[in-house]
Amino acid sequence: MTSPQHRPGAPTAEDRAHEGEDLAALLARLLDEVPGKTQKDLATEAGIPYPTLNAWMNRTRGTSRIDTDLLRSMVDVLRRWGANITPREMFASVGRPVPGNSRDEREARLLKLYRQLPDSQQRDAVKYVEALLQITQVS
């Protein structure tokens, strides 16, 4: 008999999301997997205001428009803590597919990071990228 993990169309290790599990249920389950960690710990380490995370957990605030970086940040934090979570599972909990690393997404992320730098480091970043372009053109 074929095991469920090997049947065509059967869930794989990357598809662990419980059927119909929303963000609140997913986070509650994952926080249970990591003893000693709280919603407040997750909010702090993922860079989310605690009242926002708490509202998601209490289902008093919508989750369909959560920033992609925040979803990925929660995955990173939970994985560091030892929780068994994939990006696909996190995005599914808010009803979205995992976005690919599209050019637009990379550019938006780079711009977001650039804007967080002080002016002097922004200038250094521009010089670094210009140097990369010169190296690339020479190669």
Side-chain angles (χ1 to χ4, degrees):
M1 183 172 157
T2 305
S3 72
Q5 291 85 7
H6 295 89
R7 282 192 326 239
T12 66
E14 286 293 310
D15 297 322
R16 282 188 306 280
H18 293 89
E19 191 73 30
E21 190 173 47
D22 69 356
L23 183 65
L26 174 70
L27 292 178
R29 177 173 58 82
L30 294 171
L31 285 169
D32 284 345
E33 287 182 20
V34 286
K37 297 296 184 178
T38 65
Q39 286 181 35
K40 194 163 201 161
D41 296 328
L42 179 59
T44 300
E45 290 196 40
I48 301 166
Y50 174 70
T52 300
L53 180 65
N54 188 261
W56 294 337
M57 294 292 295
N58 291 317
R59 297 181 178 94
T60 58
R61 184 171 183 172
T63 59
S64 64
R65 294 184 173 259
I66 297 175
D67 183 79
T68 299
D69 288 339
L70 291 180
L71 292 170
R72 290 184 191 277
S73 181
M74 286 191 286
V75 170
D76 292 343
V77 169
L78 289 161
R79 282 179 165 179
R80 254 192 339 265
W81 292 349
N84 197 8
I85 175 77
T86 65
R88 175 181 286 186
E89 190 174 9
M90 181 66 73
F91 280 83
S93 75
V94 296
R96 297 191 338 229
V98 177
N101 288 327
S102 70
R103 182 179 185 160
D104 291 340
E105 183 181 323
R106 287 191 310 268
E107 287 176 359
R109 182 175 173 152
L110 184 59
L111 184 57
K112 183 177 180 180
L113 293 169
Y114 173 83
R115 288 179 175 159
Q116 294 174 25
L117 294 171
D119 286 342
S120 63
Q121 290 181 334
Q122 286 179 352
R123 286 189 291 276
D124 291 343
V126 169
K127 288 178 186 175
Y128 176 75
V129 172
E130 288 172 340
L132 283 176
L133 281 173
Q134 286 180 350
I135 292 169
T136 304
Q137 291 169 356
V138 171
S139 300

